[in-house]
Amino acid sequence: MTDSTATTDGTAVIRLTAAETAAKIASGELTAVEVTEAHLARIEAVDEKVHAFLHVDREGALAQARAVDAKRAAGEKLGPLAGVPLALKDIFTTEGVPTTVGSKILEGWLPPYDATVTKRLKDAGVVILGKTNMDEFAMGSSTENSAYGPTGNPWDLTRIPGGSGGGSSAAIASFQAPLAIGTDTGGSIRQPAAVTGTVGVKPTYGGVSRYGMVAFSSSLDQGGPCARTVLDAALLHEVMAGHDPLDSTSVDAPVPPVVEAARNGSVTGMRIGIVKQFRGDGYQAGVLQRFDEAVEVLRGLGAEVVEVDCPSFDLALSAYYLIAPSECSSNLARFDAMRYGLRVGDDGTHSAEDVTALSREAGFGDEVKRRIMLGTYALSSGYYDAYYGSAQKVRTLITRDFEAAFGQVDVLISPTTPTTAFPIGERADDPMAMYLADLCTIPANLAGNAAMSLPCGLAPEDGLPVGLQIIAPAMKDDRLYQVGAAVEAAFVEKWGHQLIEEAPSL
Ligand code: GLN
């Protein structure tokens, strides 16, 4: 351990939860500057190995921390996360601070404005330490598609930390920040959470503003919180969520009472559905074993657990890999070398069209190009109905399966991802194998409901974290936290807090 700061009871500052950190700052036991410096020192000590960050904003973070300390000194009331450090996925624009989306095409771009999420974090006094690594344009499940090199999983640096938000999950699992932000189009918050033993939530579609969040697939993209505990995720959820007039798909309704739910975990009298489709070939034995134990834990806590049939979920992956690439091919057309980022061939001998083509050729990686081509094909006249149109019909069927299921149960559960963290390189040249990592997470994106992944023990065969997924109906995000907090408390009693006690120190 390289912590330079300890609290009065000797706990390392970097091991505190966000809730504990905020309380110690509010009481004056710690200053926001001390907390920020402890995390910057941790980044300095371990991030060369982990590579969670693409950019560390040392000065910006310390300035924000000083502002929080000044506010406290002036007797002003601090918000629930004031002074708490956070790692921000490099898909959210940050005024004057590099935003690359993991792509060479935006290398060197300094956004002229803050995303709504960035702005809300700053307004809440959250200290943004820097921007985290990700698969290019959030396309991937391992962070290996980043143009800036992969991130290691803090449990085993030779393995993937999940993706696309592997930098965010690795940052919190290696105690470089207690909080992070991710985005989830098909699983990129939940799958990284599962394989790093952390908590990740995809809020209801429209629950968190997409303004200033670089678009991949606009009808699926959703920002959300990443943390080491359910309560911390809820505190962050509340800060970042809520209606935003700058996002036309933002839900104009009160934020579900997530913090209250996280403080009152309980499943007594609840009906919980196991999705029948999320089991079988391709699921690691240890993942299913831990999942079955979680079901027993839920029964022991007083829930009624039943099996639920969602037959259209078998088609979700195929529908996703038509819809997401189609929307991406349209969204990424704006990277034309004229407005921002990389420009290749601007030497007076090339036409504007050639400059655009040369820049896109040099600036986009293989997976992004694969998706643009797939999407362009699926949207082309003559094929539109056969591909994109059919995928949209499947999407409706999936939504109906959810509606039928939520007529019978309060929440659904499944493993978050079929296996634990796989070795870096293992699936890098096999897109189909990579796509399978999101088998269980994609239906919630297609239907727009809320879903969480939380730690569910370690797989016996490899000692790596397993994730439990909870899915709730749209705008019932609080149910995730109510159930999640109950399960978390039961697991901590059973195994201790494994991330804090067993996670290998770097
Ligand atoms: N892994 C999925 C994909 O590659 C999901 C990515 C995401 O949620 N951003 O599209």
Side-chain angles (χ1 to χ4, degrees):
M1 278 257 284
T2 52
D3 323 336
S4 53
T5 321
T7 61
T8 48
D9 62 7
T11 318
V13 167
I14 59 165
R15 302 242 154 192
L16 297 173
T17 66
E20 289 165 347
T21 304
K24 286 183 192 294
I25 291 171
S27 73
E29 187 184 327
L30 290 170
T31 65
V33 167
E34 281 170 341
V35 170
T36 302
E37 278 173 347
H39 286 89
L40 289 169
R42 176 69 172 175
I43 294 171
E44 187 97 347
V46 302
D47 207 44
E48 211 173 314
K49 286 183 263 179
V50 180
H51 193 225
F53 285 91
L54 291 178
H55 179 81
V56 177
D57 183 20
R58 195 185 171 83
E59 288 318 310
L62 286 168
Q64 174 81 338
R66 279 194 290 271
V68 170
D69 288 336
K71 220 173 148 183
R72 184 180 179 275
E76 285 179 54
K77 197 173 153 23
L78 300 179
L81 288 178
V84 178
L86 174 140
L88 183 61
K89 189 175 182 180
D90 203 20
I91 194 167
F92 290 92
T93 57
T94 38
E95 188 181 344
V97 173
T99 301
T100 68
V101 205
S103 181
K104 287 280 179 217
I105 209 146
L106 277 184
E107 193 167 24
W109 183 53
L110 295 178
Y113 72 109
D114 278 335
T116 294
V117 164
T118 308
K119 185 174 179 317
R120 289 194 179 172
L121 293 170
K122 287 181 177 174
D123 290 348
V126 173
V127 173
I128 300 172
L129 294 170
K131 310 292 291 289
T132 57
N133 198 13
M134 56 183 286
D135 285 302
E136 185 176 6
F137 282 95
M139 298 172 196
S141 301
S142 67
T143 313
E144 291 165 289
N145 294 337
S146 167
Y148 303 97
T151 296
N153 186 321
W155 290 79
D156 174 350
L157 291 173
T158 69
R159 290 176 186 261
I160 60 106
S164 61
S168 285
S169 64
I172 53 180
S174 58
F175 299 92
Q176 301 188 59
L179 297 174
I181 301 258
T183 61
D184 195 311
T185 303
S188 286
I189 290 176
R190 290 163 286 160
Q191 183 256 5
V195 299
T196 56
T198 56
V199 179
V201 176
K202 182 198 92 67
T204 298
Y205 180 77
V208 169
S209 171
R210 290 186 296 109
Y211 180 73
M213 190 177 115
V214 180
F216 160 16
S217 179
S218 308
S219 76
L220 301 164
D221 297 342
Q222 189 55 211
C226 310
R228 293 192 291 260
T229 70
V230 171
L231 176 60
D232 282 1
L235 291 165
L236 184 54
H237 189 139
E238 200 166 70
V239 162
M240 67 192 290
H243 182 240
D244 179 11
L246 299 175
D247 171 1
S248 62
T249 58
S250 167
V251 176
D252 192 0
V255 179
V258 292
V259 173
E260 193 189 318
R263 291 195 197 278
N264 295 289
S266 158
V267 295
T268 317
M270 268 190 147
R271 278 174 71 87
I272 295 180
I274 299 177
V275 183
K276 187 176 142 192
Q277 277 66 25
F278 293 150
R279 199 172 183 105
D281 287 349
Y283 286 78
Q284 191 178 322
V287 168
L288 292 177
Q289 186 185 327
R290 288 306 186 209
F291 176 71
D292 291 342
E293 285 169 12
V295 170
E296 286 319 306
V297 165
L298 284 163
R299 288 205 170 104
L301 291 171
E304 187 187 341
V305 187
V306 296
E307 195 176 76
V308 172
D309 194 12
C310 298
S312 303
F313 286 15
D314 288 336
L315 304 170
L317 201 63
S318 311
Y320 174 88
Y321 277 101
L322 287 168
I323 294 168
S326 295
E327 294 185 10
C328 121
S329 71
S330 163
N331 273 327
L332 270 58
R334 74 188 58 156
F335 299 99
D336 57 4
M338 299 298 144
R339 282 173 272 202
Y340 18 54
L342 186 74
R343 183 177 293 182
V344 176
D346 184 12
D347 54 10
T349 69
H350 294 94
S351 66
E353 286 75 16
D354 284 349
V355 170
T356 297
L358 288 168
S359 303
R360 287 167 69 86
E361 163 62 26
F364 288 140
D366 288 349
E367 183 63 23
V368 173
K369 286 177 183 155
R370 180 159 32 238
R371 303 230 186 162
I372 291 173
M373 287 190 282
L374 232 154
T376 307
Y377 183 78
L379 288 176
S380 57
S381 73
Y383 293 106
Y384 184 94
D385 286 338
Y387 294 114
Y388 188 74
S390 302
Q392 290 292 18
K393 285 180 189 151
V394 168
R395 191 170 187 176
T396 303
L397 295 177
I398 289 167
T399 305
R400 286 190 193 147
D401 274 2
F402 271 120
E403 278 165 9
F406 289 126
Q408 304 167 54
V409 298
D410 300 299
V411 294
L412 293 168
I413 54 167
S414 75
T416 305
T417 182
T419 68
T420 54
F422 45 88
I424 291 175
E426 191 184 83
R427 301 188 194 179
D429 300 322
D430 186 351
M432 280 310 290
M434 190 71 85
Y435 297 169
L436 289 174
D438 294 315
L439 203 57
C440 311
T441 47
I442 280 174
N445 298 86
L446 290 171
N449 7 34
M452 167 188 279
S453 178
L454 80 161
C456 170
L458 307 177
E461 59 268 58
D462 54 23
L464 293 168
V466 174
L468 171 70
Q469 177 175 230
I470 308 170
I471 310 176
M475 294 312 284
K476 303 286 184 211
D477 305 44
D478 48 316
R479 281 191 204 163
L480 304 174
Y481 292 95
Q482 190 192 334
V483 175
V487 172
E488 177 183 63
F491 284 165
V492 169
E493 196 171 313
K494 193 172 158 125
W495 292 308
H497 202 301
Q498 289 173 312
L499 181 58
I500 294 177
E501 286 150 28
E502 289 185 40
S505 73
L506 293 157

